[in-house]
Amino acid sequence: MAEPSGVRAVLLAGGEGRRMGPLGAGRLKPLVPYGGVCRLIDFSLANARASGLGEVLLLSQYEERQLMDDLHRVWNRADGFRVHFGPYDDAYRSAGDALPRELPERTWPAERGTADALIRKAGHVFGGDREQVLVLHADHVYRFDYRPLIREHRASGAALTIAYQRIERRWVHLFGMVRFNRAGRLTEFVEKPAEPTSDLVFAAFCVFDAAVLHRYLEKLDGTDWQHDISRDVIPAMLAGGEDIRGHEVVGHWEDIGTVERYHRAHLMLAAGGPRAALPVERMPRTVRPRVDRGWVADSLGVVASLVPADLVNEGRVEHSVLFPGVRVGEGARVRRSVLLPGATVSPGQDIDSAVVLENGHVQRVEDTAAVTEGTRT
């Protein structure tokens, strides 16, 4: 399929990861390591590049400089795809492969929510030949070609097309619930409903008609709103009678919001989950993993785990995911755990159901038995 023209792809990447405890402390949530090979933000960027989009506009909300420096080093090295940094982009382009010494002084207030990020940088989002705005988030694990979604949106003439997925109703309260009528139009959108009446949930990416989105953002700006797309913009459009359609997401989609969900998602990978979804092709700073199983794996002290080629293991690793640079000491045992880059397990140490940070801190995770709780496949 050809590259979708007239589309401005924007990536909403904010947050401190405070709900993830020590795992999120001192790091940006979009840069939390995932799957042994990448970071959370890399999924949406890999999807955009694979969908033929030549550029994604970063709309960050927290520690912009740190995030932009990282993405410039990792993603802006090759031709054909670029992360655009809005008012800071000229400084990064001028720096080439290096990083800019200084950035233009910030002249706008800190964003208060996802929709506010769109307002404050509207000059980089709207205008020109941009007919649609594709909105992505930086903390979801999935692989998806956005081109059929965009094509379907254009064909329908809708003001908005949202991606959705069907899940067990008992987990709907964790997400944005949606309902559609027989004609395929959205009739209900409730963020984290106490009593769900549908088994369909918003998959947190969507494509707007650019002019309609701009109009609603201007309408909401200055009012008593929560500055959020799910809580404000989509409900306002629904109440305004706009034509909103749905596009079903088939396959694995995971919202990583807490350390429990992070841990469970990795246990699924170790158990033979959707490894093909990992965007390893764009991770120059990490080592591609190998999967060790069966009697050969057992002879190496590794059973049913996802481990890097540079693993130094003198103990036993079971049902776990390990990042590059990990060292497991003599007689140590690691079970149902995630070990971040460079983590070291001391000789004789016994780790079960935990996330081991780069500095060796062991973050225990409760309720590990329900590996698939709240996940979508």
Side-chain angles (χ1 to χ4, degrees):
M1 285 183 280
E3 174 181 347
S5 60
V7 177
R8 169 52 106 186
V10 301
L11 178 60
L12 301 170
E16 304 173 56
R18 285 176 289 184
R19 288 195 300 157
M20 304 186 88
L23 173 62
R27 81 171 92 232
L28 303 181
K29 185 179 179 183
L31 299 183
V32 168
Y34 188 87
V37 293
C38 62
R39 297 83 49 82
L40 291 177
I41 197 170
D42 294 321
F43 285 91
S44 290
L45 291 173
N47 289 340
R49 193 182 71 152
S51 299
L53 293 163
E55 185 177 86
V56 172
L57 173 65
L58 177 71
L59 297 181
S60 55
Q61 299 171 256
Y62 177 73
E63 295 289 349
E64 289 174 301
R65 178 65 197 254
Q66 180 184 345
L67 184 56
M68 291 187 296
D69 283 356
D70 182 279
L71 295 180
H72 185 65
R73 285 191 298 260
V74 174
W75 283 92
N76 287 353
R77 299 301 196 197
D79 295 332
F81 183 82
R82 180 177 178 82
V83 182
H84 191 287
F85 300 127
Y88 305 117
D89 200 61
D90 287 344
Y92 280 92
R93 287 182 185 273
S94 299
D97 288 340
L99 297 175
R101 292 185 178 181
E102 297 182 358
L103 295 179
E105 183 179 355
R106 188 185 183 115
T107 59
W108 59 93
E111 292 88 357
R112 292 159 290 186
T114 54
D116 196 70
L118 288 162
I119 292 174
R120 302 308 167 195
K121 297 174 184 174
H124 300 278
V125 178
F126 304 101
D129 63 349
R130 294 160 190 160
E131 299 176 355
Q132 291 87 31
V133 177
L134 174 67
V135 176
L136 311 173
H137 286 76
D139 55 357
H140 299 120
V141 172
Y142 69 114
R143 297 306 299 272
F144 191 83
D145 187 340
Y146 301 122
R147 286 171 288 191
L149 166 66
I150 295 168
R151 186 173 61 244
E152 185 177 302
H153 171 80
R154 289 172 169 172
S156 71
L160 166 65
T161 302
I162 64 173
Y164 72 90
Q165 192 166 71
R166 189 180 303 276
I167 67 171
E168 290 184 60
R169 186 167 294 190
R170 60 179 174 148
W171 304 122
V172 172
H173 71 280
L174 300 171
F175 307 98
M177 184 193 75
V178 298
R179 291 174 65 93
F180 300 92
N181 62 19
R182 291 184 177 180
R185 294 186 59 165
L186 183 72
T187 59
E188 187 176 2
F189 187 103
V190 182
E191 185 70 8
K192 297 181 179 178
E195 298 292 337
T197 57
S198 168
D199 59 356
L200 303 181
V201 295
F202 179 37
F205 61 95
C206 54
V207 56
F208 288 88
D209 177 276
V212 174
L213 174 60
H214 199 187
R215 184 171 72 249
Y216 274 88
L217 289 172
E218 290 183 328
K219 181 179 178 181
L220 288 166
D221 192 21
T223 65
D224 184 18
W225 64 313
Q226 299 179 67
H227 306 268
D228 190 82
I229 288 175
S230 295
R231 291 181 173 86
D232 300 291
V233 178
I234 296 178
M237 291 179 63
L238 185 60
E242 302 292 346
D243 185 2
I244 303 175
R245 303 298 177 108
H247 181 94
E248 186 173 7
V249 176
V250 178
H252 183 79
W253 188 95
E254 183 81 22
D255 182 350
I256 306 296
T258 65
V259 69
E260 289 81 12
R261 295 185 63 78
Y262 179 84
H263 183 245
R264 285 196 294 267
H266 280 84
L267 293 191
M268 289 181 65
L269 284 174
R275 291 191 195 90
L278 295 172
V280 296
E281 77 281 358
R282 196 62 183 130
M283 299 301 102
R285 296 182 302 166
T286 59
V287 180
R288 295 192 182 198
R290 69 168 188 263
V291 181
D292 288 329
R293 289 181 175 278
W295 66 270
V296 175
D298 189 56
S299 69
L300 299 172
V302 179
V303 177
S305 296
L306 196 63
V307 302
D310 68 347
L311 171 65
V312 176
N313 179 31
E314 298 177 335
R316 187 171 180 83
V317 177
E318 304 172 8
H319 309 288
S320 298
V321 176
L322 279 57
F323 284 77
V326 167
R327 302 179 66 92
V328 179
E330 184 178 0
R333 188 178 184 188
V334 176
R335 292 166 289 169
R336 296 182 292 273
S337 296
V338 184
L339 276 61
L340 298 192
T344 297
V345 179
S346 300
Q349 191 172 5
D350 191 347
I351 296 174
D352 188 7
S353 303
V355 176
V356 182
L357 307 187
E358 295 91 336
N359 62 3
H361 174 83
V362 178
Q363 182 176 352
R364 303 292 178 184
V365 183
E366 298 179 357
D367 192 22
T368 59
V371 173
T372 60
E373 177 184 329
T375 59
R376 292 179 246 183
T377 57

